[in-house]
Amino acid sequence: MEPAAPTDDPALGEVVVSQAAIAARVAELGAQIADDYAGRAPLLVGVLKGAFVFMADLARAIDLPVECDFMAVSSYGAATKTSGVVRIVKDLDLDLSGRDVIVVEDIIDSGLTLQYLRRNLLARGPASLEVCAMLVREGQQKGDLGLKYVGFSIPPDFVIGYGLDVAERYRNLPDVRTYKGA
Ligand code: IMP
Ligand code: MG
């Protein structure tokens, strides 16, 4: 079987955020969250599948008794654009009422997925709800999404790696890179 992401794959573009830069930023975000939520036990809600790598690193960078849950959403429409119509494919196992929820996202593009998620999760009565996004694509969002924690702002190019895929490939790349494939 061929490896999932050989580093000589011609579809791999330049490194946008390196493994080392990610590790340093995740440590900072974890420390900031531990500070902001001191004395509490926040519930991290990872949005599958893209956020699974970031979630694993972030959870270990937070020196608090965090709990983790996941949900999977899929947006209708073309593969690389979101329509804003979101379907919950896998819902959370845990009850959000009274919880300090932190939604963990891989990348915010239009922000439509997040807007839907925020509305949906707020309706479940959490004590608080904040968002931690690894990446935000610059200039694509209409209006203020109220992102409390952001890893990196990146240019408009489509990216892969560190959880982000093209047709399920490249999620295991340690760096975030542009994609040169068709
Ligand atoms: P939004 O609703 O437009 O903000 O889309 C966000 C979702 O689209 C992310 O959670 C990703 O799953 C996917 N996505 C957006 N941009 C990229 C990218 O550059 N690479 C891989 N997936 C992306
Ligand atoms: Mg996603």
Side-chain angles (χ1 to χ4, degrees):
M1 207 178 88
E2 68 195 296
T7 43
D8 62 353
D9 184 333
L12 299 186
E14 85 240 27
V15 173
V16 178
V17 189
S18 70
Q19 182 173 14
I22 292 169
R25 187 71 186 119
V26 168
E28 286 175 0
L29 289 170
Q32 195 186 338
I33 289 171
D35 217 42
D36 293 350
Y37 290 83
R40 291 184 279 169
L43 173 60
L44 305 182
V45 169
V47 184
L48 295 172
K49 301 178 190 170
F52 85 98
V53 179
F54 179 41
M55 177 89 162
D57 286 344
L58 182 69
R60 287 177 291 176
I62 302 171
D63 188 14
L64 287 178
V66 297
E67 292 171 29
C68 298
D69 203 351
F70 292 92
M71 64 193 297
V73 298
S74 96
S75 49
Y76 294 108
T80 59
K81 274 264 180 272
T82 338
S83 59
V85 184
V86 177
R87 187 166 56 98
I88 294 178
V89 176
K90 182 224 174 287
D91 207 345
L92 298 169
D93 295 327
L94 303 177
D95 183 0
L96 297 192
S97 56
R99 299 303 307 267
D100 292 302
V101 173
I102 304 174
V103 176
V104 179
E105 262 281 29
D106 50 2
I107 182 167
I108 309 297
D109 186 15
S110 68
L112 291 170
T113 304
L114 183 64
Q115 274 176 13
Y116 169 86
L117 273 181
R118 191 190 279 279
R119 265 200 314 276
N120 184 288
L121 298 179
L122 278 174
R124 306 182 194 196
S128 66
L129 183 90
E130 298 294 352
V131 177
C132 182
M134 184 63 208
L135 303 171
V136 176
R137 184 170 280 119
E138 283 162 10
Q140 301 300 307
Q141 303 85 32
K142 299 186 196 79
D144 185 12
L145 289 170
L147 302 175
K148 179 112 182 229
Y149 307 101
V150 172
F152 299 91
S153 284
I154 60 164
D157 319 81
F158 190 83
V159 289
I160 53 175
Y162 200 66
L164 295 166
D165 73 312
V166 170
E168 300 303 330
R169 290 286 182 97
Y170 307 113
R171 295 193 195 274
N172 60 329
L173 290 176
D175 308 298
V176 174
R177 292 170 173 266
T178 57
Y179 177 66
K180 295 196 300 187

